[in-house]
Amino acid sequence: MTRQQYELYRNRTLEYFEKARIVLTGQEKRRIEVSDFGLRNQEQIGLQLIEYANTERCCAKDLVLFPGQTCPEHRHPSANGIPGKEETFRCRMGRVFLYVDGEPTKEIQAVIPEQYRGKGKFTVFHEIVLNPGEQYTIFPDTLHWFQGGPDGCIVSEFSTSSHDETDIFTDSDITRIPIIE
């Protein structure tokens, strides 16, 4: 991702926070993370976030997904003697479609990104729809993926300590930590 693309998505993310009346400090605005997962298809596969706290015991973040933007399927395994991350998603604005292990939903509302259709990189289809004020807890090592609804969304994540670099994605070509050219 180029610096110009990063700034474009960071500014768009700030507009979402302003619309939701979520106040960020100047330092937090500068620390917004924009990830394209190394796939260079930010409109379909990407995630924007701000991490407020990440200690040895807990983590708090706000995630922003634009309309139809997808965080690809992954899990949070145990690593280096540290248990996998347990996270609770709470929808703050918009709607988020969340998919986890379980009985597959017959007709999901999300749309699999075009570059992934028929490639087996999305394997869990039990749909959980979160509207503002609704939440769902994902336990360690649970495969999951999620997508912003028609108006995008802001989701607060409350979790145990976060080590995103240890996430395992179903698509092994994914790079979780953004690389800005």
Side-chain angles (χ1 to χ4, degrees):
M1 167 185 328
T2 66
R3 173 60 60 186
Q4 182 179 7
Q5 290 168 321
Y6 173 87
E7 290 299 329
L8 173 76
Y9 285 101
R10 188 181 69 80
N11 290 334
R12 194 169 161 199
T13 301
L14 288 170
E15 291 173 10
Y16 271 65
F17 284 122
E18 288 171 13
K19 183 177 177 183
R21 296 185 177 157
I22 296 173
V23 178
L24 300 178
T25 66
Q27 183 182 31
E28 288 168 337
K29 290 176 182 179
R30 289 186 295 277
R31 287 190 301 112
I32 288 174
E33 180 183 331
V34 176
S35 180
D36 67 355
F37 298 98
L39 300 174
R40 299 176 182 262
N41 185 4
Q42 188 74 19
E43 286 297 316
Q44 288 191 348
I45 304 166
L47 176 67
Q48 297 71 222
L49 66 90
I50 179 65
E51 183 178 81
Y52 300 111
N54 190 14
T55 70
E56 289 182 20
R57 298 183 63 196
C58 66
C59 180
K61 302 176 184 180
D62 273 329
L63 315 174
V64 174
L65 290 132
F66 303 130
Q69 192 179 40
T70 303
C71 178
E73 187 176 275
H74 64 285
R75 59 190 177 88
H76 307 288
S78 297
N80 304 317
I82 300 169
K85 180 169 72 168
E86 178 178 314
E87 58 191 343
T88 296
F89 285 170
R90 183 174 177 88
C91 185
R92 298 294 187 183
M93 184 183 91
R95 179 180 290 160
V96 63
F97 305 125
L98 170 63
Y99 299 90
V100 296
D101 284 326
E103 183 68 30
T105 301
K106 289 183 183 182
E107 290 186 37
I108 66 169
Q109 295 182 63
V111 176
I112 302 292
E114 189 174 327
Q115 73 190 70
Y116 280 117
R117 292 184 194 149
K119 298 195 175 168
K121 303 295 183 181
F122 287 75
T123 65
V124 295
F125 296 99
H126 180 74
E127 183 176 77
I128 309 292
V129 178
L130 297 177
N131 293 294
E134 298 176 334
Q135 65 187 44
Y136 185 84
T137 299
I138 301 165
F139 294 97
D141 217 24
T142 300
L143 275 175
H144 62 286
W145 61 280
F146 48 98
Q147 185 174 92
D151 298 319
C153 63
I154 296 178
V155 175
S156 290
E157 175 191 311
F158 308 99
S159 70
T160 54
S161 186
S162 181
H163 304 278
D164 290 343
E165 66 280 2
T166 64
D167 292 353
I168 296 177
F169 287 84
T170 304
D171 177 358
S172 60
D173 291 335
I174 285 178
T175 304
R176 170 58 189 90
I177 307 303
I179 298 170
I180 301 171
E181 298 169 0

